[in-house]
């Protein structure tokens, strides 16, 4: 691979610089050593000739014999030791001679370290550039659903790049399949709702005619079931619109106290029948940007759920607050609360708990969550420590 070749070249380049530094340092050291030895012998001969001029011929002959020697003759090298002298008694001018050599060695050593450092920096910059390139690609995928095509390169990140491409491609295909499946589901749901509408309308008209001509004891029960089917048909239509993205929501300032009060007023008949009251304290002006009517529809479903789990004479409590990040709504009752194993499934469509009351069909909580999520909100459910079920809603401002 190209990246591996580059790393190999950088390694051999820095190794060559190191060998050159060692060679140059050794050469400089040897030259300095030879110069120091030459200066010492020359100085010794000069002193001797000043004292004994007649020995010039003998001294030159001895110098020629020593300079042409091959290093043998150990007894000659140790001659001064027999008189009590050592190397320490004859300090040469070596430190002054070695200064240029030491400086050159230091420069070469610094150059070797610099080459290593430069190599590391170059490789590090290349890695950072590739990481930034792949990061930008993933950011574009997350932002737009598709990214620009990266140029294929042979380096240490090639395998990672290939795997990212494969993962993104698979995710994009999966997303398209999920969107298409969701669209088909919404269309099927809408078709079912429309198919239900015609027989429900016909049955309602037939029941009205039957009650007019021959009133019976079963007319009330039939009418109740027809109303339940009508509610189911409307809920299915609403869910299909949400799934298809066709539910149009307004974006206006909605006051929390106002929308809670309107939701309770629309449930007034059911509240009176169940002898349940609703408590909504006025906490001042707290608002969010959303749709008044659909938010009221979601809150009605939550209040109705709490009402159905309240005892006669009980109270459904509502409260709200706000901060710069979100507006919060809490709705709770004084009933027995949720079964712990049912809490994760409360907002699933057509789910009805074991203690469900009334004639619901398990769509109200799911519909409420879908409406709130369409307005940048989240909803959760929990049991209160003192007893009772509680719904918490957060509607984020951004």
């Amino acid at each position: 691979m190209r990246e591996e070749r580059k790393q190999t070249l950088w390694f051999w380049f820095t190794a060559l610089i190191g060998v050159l530094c060692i060679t140059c340092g050794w050469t400089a050291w040897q030259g300095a050593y030879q110069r120091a030895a030459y200066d010492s012998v020359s100085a010794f001969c000069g002193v001797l000739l000043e004292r004994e001029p007649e020995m010039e011929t003998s001294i030159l002959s001895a110098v020629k014999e020593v300079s042409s020697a091959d290093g043998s003759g150990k007894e000659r090298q140790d001659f001064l030791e027999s008189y009590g002298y050592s190397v320490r008694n004859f300090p040469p001018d070596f430190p002054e001679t070695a200064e240029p050599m030491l400086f050159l060695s230091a420069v070469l050593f610094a150059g070797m370290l610099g080459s290593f450092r430069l190599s590391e920096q170059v490789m590090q910059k290349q890695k950072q550039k590739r990481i930034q390139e792949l990061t930008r690609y993933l950011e574009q995928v997350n932002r737009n659903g598709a990214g620009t095509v990266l140029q294929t390169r042979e380096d240490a990140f090639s395998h990672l790049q290939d795997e990212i491409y494969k993962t993104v491609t698979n995710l994009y295909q999966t997303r398209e399949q999920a969107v298409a499946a969701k669209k088909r589901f919404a269309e099927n749901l809408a078709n079912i709702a429309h198919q239900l509408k015609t027989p429900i309308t016909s049955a309602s008209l037939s029941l009205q005619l039957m009650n007019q001509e021959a009133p019976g004891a079963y007319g009330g029960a039939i009418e109740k079931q027809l109303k339940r089917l009508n509610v189911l048909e409307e809920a299915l239509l609403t869910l299909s619109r949400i799934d298809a993205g066709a539910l149009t929501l307004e974006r206006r300032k909605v006051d929390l106290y106002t929308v809670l009060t309107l939701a309770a007023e629309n449930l007034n008949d059911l509240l009176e029948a169940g002898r349940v009251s609703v408590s909504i304290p006025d906490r001042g002006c707290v608002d969010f940007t959303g749709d008044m009517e659909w938010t009221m529809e979601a809150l009605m479903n939550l209040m109705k759920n709490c009402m159905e789990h309240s005892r006669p004479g009980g109270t459904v409590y509502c409260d709200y607050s706000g901060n710069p990040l979100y507006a919060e709504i809490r709705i709770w009752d004084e009933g027995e609360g949720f079964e712990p194993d049912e809490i994760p499934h409360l907002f699933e469509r057509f789910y009805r708990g074991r203690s469900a009351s009334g004639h619901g069909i398990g769509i109200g909580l799911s519909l409420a969550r879908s409406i709130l999520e369409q307005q940048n909100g989240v909803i959760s459910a929990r049991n209160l420590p003192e007893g009772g079920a509680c719904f918490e809603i957060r509607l984020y401002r951004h």
Side-chain angles (χ1 to χ4, degrees):
M1 293 172 62
R2 183 179 300 176
E3 187 68 19
E4 293 179 351
R5 288 198 298 269
K6 286 184 178 179
Q7 293 178 356
T8 303
L9 290 176
W10 275 113
F11 171 78
W12 286 112
F13 174 75
T14 51
L16 178 62
I17 293 296
V19 171
L20 290 176
C21 290
I22 294 174
T23 303
C24 293
W26 173 257
T27 302
W29 179 274
Q30 187 179 19
Y33 176 80
Q34 291 176 343
R35 182 65 185 178
Y38 172 80
D39 291 342
S40 298
V41 173
S42 179
F44 172 77
C45 293
V47 171
L48 187 60
L49 286 175
E50 287 180 358
R51 294 181 180 181
E52 302 291 338
E54 66 278 3
M55 296 182 63
E56 179 177 0
T57 303
S58 299
I59 292 174
L60 291 177
S61 176
V63 168
K64 183 176 181 181
E65 181 180 351
V66 171
S67 62
S68 61
D70 56 358
S72 59
K74 180 67 177 176
E75 65 281 357
R76 294 182 181 179
Q77 298 176 5
D78 299 336
F79 173 75
L80 293 178
E81 289 184 3
S82 61
Y83 294 93
Y85 291 97
S86 66
V87 176
R88 296 185 183 90
N89 299 120
F90 299 91
D93 295 335
F94 183 75
E96 296 179 1
T97 310
E99 287 180 0
M101 180 273 296
L102 294 176
F103 176 76
L104 178 61
S105 298
V107 171
L108 292 176
F109 183 73
M112 182 178 66
L113 293 180
S115 65
F116 275 109
R117 182 60 179 169
L118 178 62
S119 174
E120 291 179 357
Q121 289 181 349
V122 170
M123 299 303 298
Q124 187 68 22
K125 286 182 179 179
Q126 290 179 349
K127 291 179 180 179
Q128 290 177 353
K129 184 178 180 181
R130 289 288 282 143
I131 292 174
Q132 292 174 357
E133 190 177 72
L134 295 175
T135 302
R136 283 195 299 268
Y137 171 74
L138 291 176
E139 289 175 350
Q140 291 176 357
V141 170
N142 293 330
R143 213 170 30 239
N144 306 324
T148 58
V149 178
L150 290 175
Q151 183 179 0
T152 303
R153 298 182 185 178
E154 294 294 334
D155 55 18
F157 293 89
S158 298
H159 182 66
L160 175 62
Q161 179 176 317
D162 293 339
E163 293 302 319
I164 289 176
Y165 278 146
K166 292 177 183 178
T167 303
V168 170
T169 301
N170 291 333
L171 290 176
Y172 188 70
Q173 293 175 351
T174 303
R175 175 180 175 274
E176 288 183 334
Q177 294 172 359
V179 170
K182 187 176 181 180
K183 184 177 180 181
R184 288 194 300 269
F185 176 78
E187 292 174 352
N188 294 333
L189 201 61
N191 290 332
I192 292 172
H194 284 297
Q195 293 297 326
L196 285 173
K197 192 175 188 67
T198 300
I200 291 173
T201 303
S202 299
S204 298
L205 293 175
S206 300
L207 180 62
Q208 292 177 9
L209 294 174
M210 185 179 68
N211 288 333
Q212 291 175 3
E213 297 180 1
Y218 301 101
I222 296 174
E223 183 177 3
K224 184 181 295 185
Q225 296 301 320
L226 287 174
K227 288 183 178 179
R228 185 181 179 189
L229 286 174
N230 191 57
V231 171
L232 174 61
E233 181 264 335
E234 292 178 356
L236 291 177
L237 281 176
T238 302
L239 290 175
S240 66
R241 292 172 62 189
I242 292 175
D243 290 341
L247 184 65
T248 304
L249 299 177
E250 295 182 352
R251 304 291 295 174
R252 297 181 181 178
K253 292 291 184 181
V254 178
D255 181 70
L256 294 186
Y257 179 78
T258 301
V259 72
L260 285 168
T261 303
L262 291 176
E265 290 178 354
N266 280 290
L267 294 174
N268 191 50
D269 293 340
L270 293 175
L271 293 169
E272 289 181 356
R275 290 185 295 161
V276 177
S277 61
V278 177
S279 172
I280 307 175
D282 188 352
R283 302 296 186 187
C285 181
V286 178
D287 56 34
F288 75 99
T289 303
D291 189 288
M292 170 73 80
E293 295 297 328
W294 283 109
T295 303
M296 184 174 64
E297 179 73 22
L299 297 177
M300 286 172 57
N301 288 328
L302 301 178
M303 290 182 184
K304 185 178 178 182
N305 185 277
C306 290
M307 179 198 70
E308 292 174 350
H309 293 83
S310 297
R311 302 181 182 89
T315 303
V316 175
Y317 296 92
C318 303
D319 202 357
Y320 62 93
S321 61
N323 58 52
L325 296 178
Y326 55 82
E328 185 175 38
I329 300 174
R330 296 173 64 240
I331 301 175
W332 70 96
D333 58 50
E334 299 174 316
E336 297 180 356
F338 304 114
E339 294 291 338
D341 60 329
E342 293 181 349
I343 292 179
H345 308 286
L346 290 175
F347 299 101
E348 295 177 1
R349 294 181 182 181
F350 306 108
Y351 179 81
R352 284 175 58 81
R354 292 186 294 273
S355 60
S357 59
H359 302 284
I361 54 178
I363 292 182
L365 295 182
S366 175
L367 182 61
R369 183 182 67 173
S370 298
I371 292 172
L372 294 171
E373 288 179 349
Q374 291 281 321
Q375 301 178 93
N376 199 29
V378 294
I379 182 172
S380 61
R382 64 183 178 92
N383 288 324
L384 298 174
E386 61 274 14
C390 178
F391 295 102
E392 293 182 344
I393 303 167
R394 288 185 178 181
L395 297 161
Y396 289 91
R397 304 186 185 280
H398 301 288

